[in-house]
């Protein structure tokens, strides 16, 4: 009997996990010619191969049902479902396309190509964002239509999606939610762009997928992939920025063999105060050190990966135009932030289903040193004085000595935020046209104060949510629907506990309404529980120069958004129009009561219903006989108002971006690209009572780059210039705007990347 059981078990095991070979050929749909070096990728397994010079490929897979994505530059990516084992040799036809090569969207639950997605998601490669000359990741994401950034100088930026920001936008990195006291206007992303492969943006309520704080949307940062099986690579890069006399460097190595894979990457960034036409903006200097590492293992029925990110940043907090220097060590006041992100992602594959388990732990230590030291030369400079930049380096040694004194001081503000999160999803077996996922998500968060100042009290937050969502594929129609329940409790030290709960749902439809015209209609509700600052803050925020008092009687923000996206595509042109209407009930905002505490105006948290509406519209022209030419244009607009007709604060101004871009290869240099971009920002006159209006301005940017062989290895060199005409302007979402401090002037970025 025992022997019989062993034989039966062996047969089942071999049948389930034995390797089976699938074969196929990739052809041009028009000419039937083979396409060599096309990419074959399996998103669930995160593995793949490429076709040979005859367009042929083969893959060894276990028994099951898998999604296979086939892509090649200049052709529309194809996604097919393959059942293993199969004796059939696949024939995959790719059609020419004016658009960029599509990637699988990771931030949505079914991991489809955007052309198959019911929900509109923007995805950009990080190298595209950096090629435009962006100094930071927060600045780079503003090139995505509908996305802006609230900035404090260059070092601090937080995402704004269609007019919503702070805790209304959830940031995901390494597959886990980023928690780093993001309620504060002067609290930035805390993520370095080194080791980030791509950025995805969900514009609109994603509470169904991510819970509270996803009411306004999600910024999803995809880390760099591990090396392919039995491959390894190393690279190093350096970027120099003329405006800040700053630099960013990073180096990394990754390898994979026998199912195991690992990678690591380190980076160092330093910048001096940024320059305008007339002055440097004192204490916008900063230093950032970042380290990322990953370890993974994969076999035919299981994959797992562990990633770690350590980020330390010292960020100056600008207050006025004072000492003119190119020193890189921040003056008082400044922030010193340590951010540790641990994440674990595992998938267990069954024959026709799978289980995903993602765990995260984030340790965020935020210190602020706020003692003010007088500088004799502060009064010698003002906004209107045109300084001689040849003498910017004076007093650098003295500032370093002064900073050493700062380090022995106790931090006025010292908060430690520890967050454990979990996300468990079960991908049910496909039933006919139905793909279904059920899951639970949750979070335990502890905030503890160690400094003299206490802006928000010690507290413990617990979240729990349960969700179910399905994708239904019909002949001419795709439908996605789902529902979710969430519960949040906040236990505040020396205060009563607060609890919040919410039911939410979403329904989306994608269909071709005309030939080559695709429509996506999404209806979704979202919610956001009040954060700890809104409930219980009681203190002066030196970064914002106001005394904030929380309101323990606040209720959930609850919204309903209608989103309509229309898209036309052919070989040569893409046209798109994305419109939205977002109703937010019980919108939480700050309002002054006319009093002063410690010479700071007192602001109270209040609630009022609000509405936001607008959209993004544009075109991408890529005439196929002229493969190297791209013309792109996009317009974005958003309006936000409370029911009492007052405008919401921090609403971006309307803008129009026009880009002329060329891409081609030569015998000695490949991936040659050049661009000219003009971004026109319109005046913002629809402002909150406590804001000032903003003038219109135009910013011209140019760039060129290419890859060539150096010592038989790829070397990429790029040169770009932002604000080429050195325009004097103030961005409406700059936190330095009330003082009339200009944004950065002309900046030239020179970058070199060397790959081994």
């Amino acid at each position: 009997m025992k022997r019989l059981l062993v034989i039966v078990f062996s047969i089942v095991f071999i049948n389930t996990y034995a390797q089976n070979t699938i074969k196929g050929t990739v052809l041009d749909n028009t000419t039937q010619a083979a396409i060599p070096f096309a990419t074959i990728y399996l998103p669930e397994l995160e593995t793949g191969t490429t076709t040979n010079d005859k367009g042929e490929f083969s893959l060894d897979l276990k028994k099951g049902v898998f999604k296979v994505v086939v892509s090649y530059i200049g052709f529309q990516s194809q996604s097919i479902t393959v059942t293993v084992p199969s004796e059939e040799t696949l024939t995959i036809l790719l059609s020419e396309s004016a658009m960029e090569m599509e990637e699988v969207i990771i931030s949505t639950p079914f991991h489809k190509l955007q052309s198959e997605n019911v929900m509109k998601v923007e995805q950009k490669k990080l190298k595209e964002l950096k090629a435009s000359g962006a100094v930071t990741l927060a600045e780079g994401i503003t090139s995505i239509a509908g996305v802006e950034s609230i900035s404090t100088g260059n070092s601090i930026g937080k995402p704004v999606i269609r007019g919503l920001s702070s805790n209304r936008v959830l940031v995901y990195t390494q597959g886990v939610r980023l928690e780093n006291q993001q309620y504060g206007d002067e609290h930035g992303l805390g993520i370095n762009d080194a080791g980030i492969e791509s950025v995805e943006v969900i514009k609109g309520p994603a509470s169904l997928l991510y819970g509270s704080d996803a009411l306004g949307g999600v910024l999803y940062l995809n880390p760099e992939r591990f090396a392919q099986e039995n491959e390894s690579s190393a690279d190093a890069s350096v970027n120099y920025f003329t405006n800040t006399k700053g630099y960013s460097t990073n180096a990394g190595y990754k390898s994979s063999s026998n199912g195991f894979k690992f990678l690591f990457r380190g980076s160092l960034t330093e910048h001096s105060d940024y320059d305008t036409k007339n002055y440097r903006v004192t204490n916008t200097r900063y230093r950032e050190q970042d380290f990322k590492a990953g370890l993974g293992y994969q076999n035919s029925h299981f994959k797992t990966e562990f990633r770690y990110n350590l980020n330390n940043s010292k960020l100056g907090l600008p207050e006025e135009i004072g000492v003119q220097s190119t020193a890189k060590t921040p003056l008082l006041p400044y922030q010193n932030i340590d951010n540790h992100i641990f994440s674990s992602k595992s998938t267990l594959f069954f024959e026709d289903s799978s289980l995903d388990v993602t765990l995260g732990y984030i340790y965020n230590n935020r210190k602020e040193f706020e003692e003010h030291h007088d500088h004799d030369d502060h009064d010698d400079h003002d906004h209107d004085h045109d300084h001689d930049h040849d003498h910017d380096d004076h007093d650098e040694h003295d500032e370093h000595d002064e900073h050493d004194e700062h380090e022995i001081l106790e931090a006025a503000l010292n908060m430690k935020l520890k967050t454990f999160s979990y996300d468990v999803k079960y991908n049910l077996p496909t039933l006919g046209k139905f793909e279904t996922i059920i899951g639970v998500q949750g979070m335990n968060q502890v905030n503890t104060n160690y400094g003299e100042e206490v802006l928000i009290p010690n507290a413990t937050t617990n979240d729990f949510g349960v969700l179910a969502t399905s994708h239904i594929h019909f002949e001419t129609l795709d439908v996605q629907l789902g529902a979710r329940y969430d519960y949040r409790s906040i236990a505040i030290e020396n205060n009563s506990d607060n609890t919040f709960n919410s039911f939410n749902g979403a329904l989306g439809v994608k269909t071709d309404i005309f030939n080559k015209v695709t429509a996506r209609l999404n209806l979704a509700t979202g919610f956001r529980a009040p954060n700890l600052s809104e409930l219980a803050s009681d203190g002066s925020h030196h970064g914002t120069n106001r005394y904030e008092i929380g309101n323990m009687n606040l209720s959930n923000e609850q919204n309903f958004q209608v989103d309509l996206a229309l898209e036309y595509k052919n070989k040569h042109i893409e046209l798109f129009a994305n419109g939205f209407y977002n109703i937010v009930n019980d919108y939480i905002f700050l309002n002054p009561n006319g009093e002063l505490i410690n010479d700071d105006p007192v602001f109270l948290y209040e609630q009022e219903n609000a509405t936001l509406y607008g959209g993004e519209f544009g075109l991408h022209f890529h005439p196929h006989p002229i493969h190297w030419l791209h013309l792109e244009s996009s317009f974005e607009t958003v309006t936000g108002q409370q029911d009492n007709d007052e405008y919401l604060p921090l609403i971006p101004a309307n803008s129009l971006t026009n880009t002329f871009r060329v891409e081609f290869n030569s015998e000695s240099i490949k991936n040659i690209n050049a661009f000219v971009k003009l971004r026109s920002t319109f005046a913002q006159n629809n402002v909150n009572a406590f804001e000032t209006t903003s003038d219109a301005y135009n910013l011209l940017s140019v760039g060129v780059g290419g890859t060539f062989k150096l010592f038989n290895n790829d070397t990429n060199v790029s040169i770009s210039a932002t604000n080429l005409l050195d325009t004097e302007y103030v961005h409406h979402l700059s936190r330095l705007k009330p003082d009339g401090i200009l944004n950065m002037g002309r900046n030239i970025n020179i970058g070199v990347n060397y790959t081994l």
Side-chain angles (χ1 to χ4, degrees):
M1 183 65 181
K2 184 184 293 185
R3 185 177 180 184
L4 178 61
L5 287 174
V6 171
I7 294 172
V8 171
F9 177 79
S10 299
I11 293 173
V12 171
F13 184 87
I14 291 171
N15 188 51
T16 303
Y17 297 120
Q19 296 295 298
N20 302 274
T21 300
I22 63 166
K23 297 181 179 181
T25 304
V26 180
L27 304 175
D28 185 322
N29 187 41
T30 303
T31 65
Q32 299 299 302
I35 300 179
F37 311 116
T39 300
I40 315 296
Y41 184 66
L42 285 76
E44 293 99 333
L45 300 178
E46 296 183 11
T47 189
T49 186
T50 57
T51 58
N52 60 21
D53 55 3
K54 298 180 180 179
E56 300 168 339
F57 70 91
S58 65
L59 280 168
D60 292 330
L61 301 171
K62 73 177 185 69
K63 183 178 180 181
V65 179
F66 302 96
K67 182 181 300 178
V68 179
V69 176
V70 184
S71 55
Y72 187 71
I73 295 175
F75 289 81
Q76 183 175 341
S77 298
Q78 286 279 4
S79 174
I80 62 174
T81 300
V82 176
T83 301
V84 180
S86 174
E87 299 297 328
E88 178 186 3
T89 298
L90 302 172
T91 300
I92 302 168
L93 303 176
L94 299 185
S95 299
E96 287 186 316
S97 171
M99 304 309 114
E100 307 298 332
M101 191 169 65
E102 274 193 288
E103 298 277 352
V104 172
I105 300 297
I106 305 299
S107 57
T108 52
F110 298 100
H111 293 181
K112 296 181 178 296
L113 297 171
Q114 179 51 45
S115 57
E116 304 169 318
N117 239 11
V118 173
M119 183 183 297
K120 177 69 174 176
V121 179
E122 303 282 355
Q123 186 192 67
K124 290 286 187 181
K125 289 285 190 181
L126 195 80
K127 62 182 180 181
E128 296 178 43
L129 304 182
K130 290 183 71 69
S132 64
V135 176
T136 63
L137 176 62
E139 181 187 353
I141 62 174
T142 62
S143 64
I144 301 173
V147 182
E148 274 290 353
S149 178
I150 298 172
S151 65
T152 305
N154 289 332
S155 62
I156 300 174
K158 54 195 312 97
V160 180
I161 299 178
R162 287 177 167 175
L164 295 177
S165 59
S166 190
N167 279 78
R168 299 180 181 94
V169 171
L170 194 59
V171 178
Y172 258 63
T173 182
Q174 298 177 192
V176 299
R177 59 185 293 161
L178 179 64
E179 292 289 324
N180 61 355
Q181 307 284 14
Q182 63 266 31
Y183 65 85
D185 286 349
E186 75 284 10
H187 298 174
L189 270 177
I191 297 290
N192 188 277
D193 57 26
I196 303 294
E197 183 168 295
S198 64
V199 176
E200 296 176 13
V201 179
I202 301 176
K203 294 181 285 193
S207 296
L208 172 67
L209 306 177
Y210 297 103
S212 179
D213 293 0
L215 174 144
V218 174
L219 179 67
Y220 200 97
L221 307 175
N222 291 312
E224 65 177 307
R225 295 177 182 175
F226 289 98
Q228 291 287 356
E229 184 71 16
N230 298 318
E231 293 183 5
S232 62
S233 66
D235 67 272
S237 69
V238 59
N239 281 264
Y240 177 73
F241 303 88
T242 60
N243 183 285
T244 62
K245 302 186 185 299
Y247 64 88
S248 64
T249 64
N250 86 80
Y253 177 78
K254 54 186 174 181
S255 183
S256 176
S257 65
N258 300 321
F260 288 94
K261 44 194 175 182
F262 72 91
L263 59 79
F264 62 84
R265 183 169 299 279
S267 69
L268 173 64
T269 301
E270 282 193 309
H271 288 275
S272 302
D273 298 339
Y274 76 77
D275 201 9
T276 69
K277 184 177 287 187
N278 300 319
Y279 51 81
R280 289 192 180 273
V281 179
T282 308
N283 211 24
T284 53
R285 63 195 73 172
Y286 65 98
R287 174 187 174 92
E288 183 179 26
Q289 301 169 88
D290 190 84
F291 175 75
K292 294 182 175 74
L295 176 66
Y297 173 74
Q298 182 170 344
N299 60 28
S300 59
H301 58 283
F302 176 72
K303 71 172 182 178
T304 186
E305 68 177 55
F306 173 81
R307 292 184 187 253
Y308 169 66
N309 179 204
L310 167 62
N311 184 279
N312 169 261
S313 51
K314 292 184 178 180
L315 315 172
L317 294 174
E319 295 184 313
E320 60 184 1
I321 306 302
V323 59
Q324 296 290 289
S325 170
T326 54
K328 294 180 172 60
T329 303
L331 303 168
L332 289 170
Y334 70 93
Q335 299 175 348
N336 188 346
I337 304 168
D338 288 307
N339 209 41
H340 301 262
I341 304 173
F342 302 84
S343 65
S344 168
K345 293 177 64 179
S346 300
T347 301
L348 183 62
F349 296 100
F350 307 107
E351 184 172 334
D352 52 4
S353 62
S354 61
L355 180 69
D356 298 320
V357 180
T358 302
L359 305 175
Y361 178 76
I362 298 178
Y363 172 81
N364 176 261
N365 187 194
R366 177 178 295 275
K367 296 180 181 179
E368 294 188 5
F369 296 83
E370 296 168 347
E371 290 79 7
H372 291 266
H373 288 224
D374 293 328
H375 299 280
D376 294 337
D377 52 357
H378 276 199
D379 296 331
D380 295 335
H381 308 277
D382 56 37
H383 294 202
D384 301 319
H385 189 65
D386 190 1
H387 301 290
D388 182 356
H389 295 124
D390 291 336
H391 301 286
D392 280 346
D393 292 325
H394 80 285
D395 291 341
E396 183 168 350
H397 178 73
D398 293 339
E399 289 174 23
H400 278 279
D401 292 342
E402 181 186 83
H403 188 67
D404 292 338
E405 296 176 10
H406 297 172
E407 287 296 346
I408 65 175
L409 299 173
E410 290 293 327
L413 182 71
N414 185 356
M415 293 188 295
K416 295 181 180 180
L417 188 70
K418 302 173 183 178
T419 306
F420 169 73
S421 61
Y422 59 90
D423 184 348
V424 181
K425 291 191 179 76
Y426 179 57
N427 301 271
L428 277 68
T430 301
L431 297 175
K433 302 178 183 298
F434 284 76
E435 297 177 72
T436 301
I437 294 173
I438 58 174
V440 294
Q441 296 172 333
M443 177 184 76
N444 171 265
Q445 184 175 92
V446 179
N447 182 72
T448 310
N449 287 276
Y450 294 89
E452 178 184 349
E453 291 186 12
V454 177
L455 299 183
I456 58 175
N458 299 341
T460 300
T461 301
N462 283 290
D463 278 0
F464 175 77
V466 57
L467 67 98
T469 181
S470 291
H471 183 107
I472 312 165
H473 178 69
F474 298 104
E475 286 281 334
T476 60
L477 190 74
D478 282 273
V479 177
Q480 187 172 319
L481 70 165
R484 179 187 181 109
Y485 171 76
D486 282 274
Y487 175 85
R488 168 173 285 190
S489 66
I490 304 179
I492 302 174
E493 186 176 80
N494 301 323
N495 212 318
S496 59
D497 294 354
N498 293 65
T499 60
F500 306 90
N501 63 85
S502 181
F503 283 97
N504 287 281
L507 173 64
V509 177
K510 179 186 80 76
T511 187
D512 293 333
I513 54 175
F514 302 109
N515 183 32
K516 298 181 180 178
V517 177
T518 301
R520 292 178 173 86
L521 176 64
N522 282 274
L523 313 175
T525 65
F527 87 105
R528 183 180 74 89
N531 62 47
L532 188 57
S533 177
E534 294 163 337
L535 291 170
S537 63
D538 188 5
S540 293
H541 286 244
H542 294 278
T544 53
N545 297 318
R546 62 190 179 214
Y547 194 103
E548 297 182 7
I549 299 178
N551 182 352
M552 296 295 291
N553 297 316
L554 295 174
S555 57
N556 280 344
E557 290 183 341
Q558 192 77 41
N559 80 325
F560 173 72
Q561 178 166 314
V562 179
D563 195 301
L564 177 62
L566 300 175
E567 188 177 83
Y568 170 80
K569 282 185 179 181
N570 65 20
K571 284 185 178 182
H572 313 289
I573 193 169
E574 175 188 16
L575 303 172
F576 66 89
N578 308 323
F580 72 95
Y581 192 84
N582 189 6
I583 301 170
V584 185
N585 292 326
D586 294 318
Y587 183 93
I588 300 171
F589 62 98
L590 278 167
N591 210 17
N593 67 355
E595 299 178 5
L596 295 175
I597 298 180
N598 300 330
D599 295 326
D600 288 330
V602 176
F603 280 71
L604 306 177
Y605 282 98
E606 300 178 2
Q607 291 188 292
E608 175 77 44
N609 295 341
T611 303
L612 298 98
Y613 56 90
E616 304 86 40
F617 312 89
L619 64 88
H620 178 185
F621 179 58
H622 178 36
H624 227 270
I626 313 174
H627 290 274
W628 47 268
L629 177 64
H630 296 262
L631 296 174
E632 300 168 354
S633 181
S634 65
F635 173 74
E636 52 192 277
T637 178
V638 58
T639 300
Q641 284 182 283
Q642 299 176 16
D643 279 5
N644 60 11
D645 291 333
E646 288 190 10
Y647 288 103
L648 296 179
L650 299 174
I651 298 297
N654 298 342
S655 65
L656 173 67
T657 303
N658 291 292
T659 305
F660 175 84
R661 183 162 53 92
V662 297
E663 296 176 338
F664 58 93
N665 293 292
S666 71
E667 290 185 6
S668 57
I669 303 178
K670 62 181 182 179
N671 300 326
I672 301 171
N673 60 85
F675 74 90
V676 178
K677 180 169 72 173
L678 178 65
R679 178 161 182 150
S680 302
T681 300
F682 299 93
Q684 176 59 291
N685 297 314
N686 299 333
V687 297
N688 185 265
F690 309 104
E691 290 183 306
T692 57
T693 59
S694 298
D695 295 332
Y697 56 88
N698 296 288
L699 297 179
L700 180 66
S701 302
V702 298
V704 63
T707 302
F708 59 91
K709 292 291 184 180
L710 180 63
F711 304 119
N712 211 31
N713 292 309
D714 282 348
T715 303
N716 179 268
V717 176
S718 63
I719 302 175
S720 61
T722 57
N723 192 4
L724 184 64
L725 303 181
D726 208 15
T727 301
E728 297 182 33
Y729 75 101
V730 180
H731 192 278
H732 185 67
L733 300 188
S734 168
R735 291 190 54 259
L736 307 182
K737 178 173 176 284
D739 296 319
I741 297 176
L742 297 172
N743 283 79
M744 186 161 61
R746 181 189 299 114
N747 179 48
I748 299 175
N749 171 26
I750 304 170
V752 179
N753 182 275
Y754 188 72
T755 303
L756 294 174

